[in-house]
């Protein structure tokens, strides 16, 4: 018996464990100080009332003989796929309900989708990045190339015509940088993918945070239906991080080697996934009702206000950053050329504010720091005041 030795190639990721340890040590040494956490990548506001009502009703359905449900459809109930297709229509993108696969979240899908592709493919991943893309492909034994993002491209990696890749992960608005691609930039990626016979795995988990006139979906770009799979999530859009629901879109016409990727993914899901529970799909459908959208928007606006507070403080301090406008994340350059961990310690010890060192998201994250808007207005305002006092 042999284990999968590709696990040996993974860099141990102690990022959040180290952040927690250092924060706890500081808290124990300074019991009088109130620590403010702006490192959190999880939502903090409760679910929208209309979502909870649907969740309750869905659970109640399971109590009664005539409304009880067993195994759900592998690809999700039709009413939810219709609602998702209509949601896309709301920002001018046509996606057919039968191209939507409901899942338990984007994290599983962004790793699992690799099952339909050969291990021999080369994967191109922007750096810095959501670490799941990297680890999932190391586990699968694929060769990984990195597309560097940095100040010169405002943390939006662009294709290099000299680099040949088969699978490309893009995430916009991005975690950790908060940067979001324009239609022109995405068109360049789509053109590159079409020229290279590559597939783009487009992670749109933060699309609901977009405020500017920027693409909410890769399918608003010409040619994307022939080269892209879109992954999306209700985690940040609607606070489903604990409730678990997401969706993946695979256009019917998307083919490689003459085979439909939609058919391959259906087969994969039917083999390894038994669907999302009835109450959760009812709750997810409630997100897409007009009242659900209104209530979820209130939460998004709340986070957005926090992001604005942080961004305007950085503007005042003259610190370079990306994100904050179309994203819950603010990605700032560490002042005075400090390293990511050096700045983490400096901010913790002098302002009792916790963020996330950028180097935890890749080589290019060195010297950068991620702040998030997932906290209360009061605490965010207090953190911002402390940062202004410390850094001005
Ligand atoms: N994709 C990105 C870029 C994320 O940042 C996250 C969560 O932090 C996910 C996917 C995971 O989403 P889900 O909660 O739907 O699994």
């Amino acid at each position: 018996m042999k284990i999968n030795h590709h696990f040996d190639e993974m860099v141990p990721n102690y990022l959040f464990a180290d952040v927690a340890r250092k924060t706890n040590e500081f808290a124990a040494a300074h019991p009088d100080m109130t620590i403010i956490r702006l490192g959190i990548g999880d939502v903090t506001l409760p679910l929208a009332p209309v979502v909870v009502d649907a969740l309750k009703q869905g659970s109640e359905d399971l109590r009664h003989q005539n409304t009880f449900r067993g195994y759900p459809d592998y690809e999700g109930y039709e009413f939810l796929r219709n609602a998702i297709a209509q949601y896309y229509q709301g920002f001018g993108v046509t996606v057919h309900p039968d191209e939507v696969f409901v899942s338990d979240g984007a994290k599983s899908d962004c790793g699992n989708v690799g099952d339909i592709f050969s291990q021999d493919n080369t994967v191109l991943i922007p750096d810095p990045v959501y670490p799941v893309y990297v680890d999932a492909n190391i586990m699968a034994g694929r060769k990984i190339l990195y597309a560097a993002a940095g100040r010169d491209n405002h943390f939006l990696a662009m294709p290099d015509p000299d680099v040949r890749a088969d699978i490309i992960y893009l995430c916009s608005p991005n975690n950790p940088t908060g940067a979001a691609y324009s239609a022109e930039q995405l068109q360049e990626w789509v053109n590159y993918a079409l020229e290279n016979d590559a597939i783009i795995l487009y992670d749109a988990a933060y699309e609901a945070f977009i405020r500017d006139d920027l693409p909410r979906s890769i399918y608003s770009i010409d040619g994307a239906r022939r080269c892209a799979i879109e992954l999306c999530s209700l985690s940040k859009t609607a606070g489903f991080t604990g409730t678990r629901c997401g969706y993946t879109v695979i256009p019917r016409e998307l083919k490689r080697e003459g085979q439909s990727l939609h058919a391959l993914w259906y087969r994969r899901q039917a083999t390894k996934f038994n669907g999302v529970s009835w109450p959760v799909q009812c709750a997810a459908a409630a997100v897409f009702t007009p009242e659900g959208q209104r209530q979820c928007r209130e939460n998004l606006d709340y986070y957005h206000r926090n992001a604005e507070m942080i961004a305007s403080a950085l503007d005042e301090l003259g610190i370079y950053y990306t994100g904050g406008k179309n994203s819950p994340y603010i990605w700032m350059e560490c002042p005075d050329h400090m390293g990511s961990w050096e700045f983490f310690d400096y901010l913790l010890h002098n302002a009792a504010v916790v963020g996330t060192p950028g180097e935890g998201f890749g080589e290019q994250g060195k010297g950068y720091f991620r702040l998030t808007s997932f906290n209360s207005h009061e605490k965010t305002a207090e953190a911002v005041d402390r940062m202004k006092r410390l850094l001005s």
Side-chain angles (χ1 to χ4, degrees):
M1 209 296 286
K2 288 184 181 159
I3 60 161
N4 179 353
H5 280 285
H6 293 302
F7 277 66
D8 305 341
E9 296 155 29
M10 284 196 281
V11 181
N13 196 341
Y14 300 129
L15 177 68
F16 290 103
D18 284 349
V19 166
R21 181 182 48 77
K22 281 174 176 261
T23 309
N24 292 340
E25 280 168 12
F26 179 79
H30 303 87
D32 49 317
M33 291 191 74
T34 313
I35 296 175
I36 302 179
R37 290 177 168 79
L38 295 187
I40 313 164
D42 193 357
V43 290
T44 46
L45 293 172
L47 289 175
V50 72
V51 168
V52 176
D53 290 344
L55 199 51
K56 280 188 185 164
Q57 182 57 52
S59 306
E60 189 59 31
D61 291 344
L62 300 182
R63 186 202 290 268
H64 307 285
Q65 183 70 65
N66 58 337
T67 47
F68 172 75
R69 309 282 169 142
Y71 287 123
D73 301 333
Y74 300 124
E75 71 277 39
Y77 287 110
E78 201 180 348
F79 66 85
L80 178 53
R81 290 184 289 107
N82 284 338
I84 293 167
Q86 259 182 17
Y87 174 71
Y88 271 94
Q89 207 66 63
F91 44 82
V93 171
T94 300
V95 156
H96 300 287
D98 67 1
E99 296 174 328
V100 175
F101 292 85
V102 174
S103 74
D104 62 351
K107 188 187 225 179
S108 342
D109 283 3
C110 52
N112 293 338
V113 71
D115 279 7
I116 68 172
F117 301 113
S118 159
Q119 256 99 317
D120 300 335
N121 288 306
T122 299
V123 185
L124 183 63
I125 303 183
D127 173 7
V129 81
Y130 177 51
V132 172
Y133 313 147
V134 176
D135 285 357
N137 282 286
I138 293 177
M139 283 180 200
R142 291 199 185 87
K143 180 180 169 197
I144 300 177
L145 302 174
Y146 293 94
R151 218 177 143 151
D152 50 335
N153 55 22
H154 297 290
F155 284 95
L156 290 166
M158 293 305 296
D160 176 346
D162 298 330
V163 171
R164 167 91 195 82
D166 307 298
I167 298 172
I168 304 150
Y169 279 86
L170 296 179
C171 176
S172 180
N174 188 274
N175 178 14
T177 68
Y181 282 113
S182 67
E184 294 71 29
Q185 289 170 317
L186 284 183
Q187 188 69 64
E188 273 191 52
W189 274 113
V190 166
N191 294 346
Y192 169 89
L194 290 171
E195 276 156 27
N196 286 281
D197 196 35
I199 292 289
I200 295 174
L201 300 176
Y202 189 76
D203 187 338
Y206 297 93
E207 59 78 20
F209 287 83
I210 291 179
R211 289 289 193 285
D212 292 336
D213 185 20
L214 297 171
R216 300 273 297 269
S217 162
I218 187 92
Y219 300 122
S220 60
I221 307 301
D222 279 348
R225 289 180 60 85
R226 285 180 286 122
C227 67
I229 290 176
E230 184 155 295
L231 309 142
C232 207
S233 167
L234 294 184
S235 283
K236 309 296 156 77
T237 305
F240 271 54
T241 52
T243 310
R244 310 302 308 142
C245 194
Y247 46 94
T248 286
V249 178
I250 309 191
R252 285 279 186 187
E253 64 262 46
L254 186 56
K255 295 197 168 131
R256 285 298 178 271
E257 295 191 74
Q259 295 221 40
S260 153
L261 299 191
H262 183 284
L264 294 182
W265 181 241
Y266 184 89
R267 184 65 196 261
R268 188 270 170 214
Q269 291 295 78
T271 304
K272 293 194 185 177
F273 181 64
N274 249 341
V276 175
S277 76
W278 170 254
V280 169
Q281 292 202 50
C282 292
V287 169
F288 298 104
T289 60
E291 184 54 17
Q293 285 291 291
R294 199 192 58 73
Q295 292 179 8
C296 291
R297 175 65 39 209
E298 273 179 22
N299 287 3
L300 292 172
D301 287 346
Y302 189 94
Y303 296 133
H304 189 238
R305 175 79 201 97
N306 288 346
E308 267 176 354
M309 278 193 249
I310 300 170
S312 69
L314 296 178
D315 282 334
E316 273 178 49
L317 291 164
I319 292 175
Y320 173 82
Y321 67 94
T322 52
K325 193 160 183 207
N326 300 297
S327 159
Y329 299 121
I330 294 100
W331 178 252
M332 61 176 283
E333 191 168 49
C334 300
D336 299 326
H337 306 288
M338 275 189 248
S340 299
W341 278 109
E342 196 184 349
F343 183 59
F344 174 89
D345 290 332
Y346 182 70
L347 199 59
L348 177 62
H349 286 267
N350 296 288
V353 171
V354 179
T356 311
E359 64 186 74
F361 301 98
E363 273 294 302
Q364 298 295 319
K366 286 188 169 157
Y368 283 83
F369 201 69
R370 192 190 75 172
L371 298 170
T372 85
S373 60
F374 297 125
N375 210 320
S376 67
H377 285 337
E378 297 69 27
K379 289 218 170 119
T380 306
E382 170 66 22
V384 158
D385 272 355
R386 292 185 196 175
M387 284 177 67
K388 280 206 261 188
R389 264 181 271 132
L390 180 66
L391 302 174
S392 48

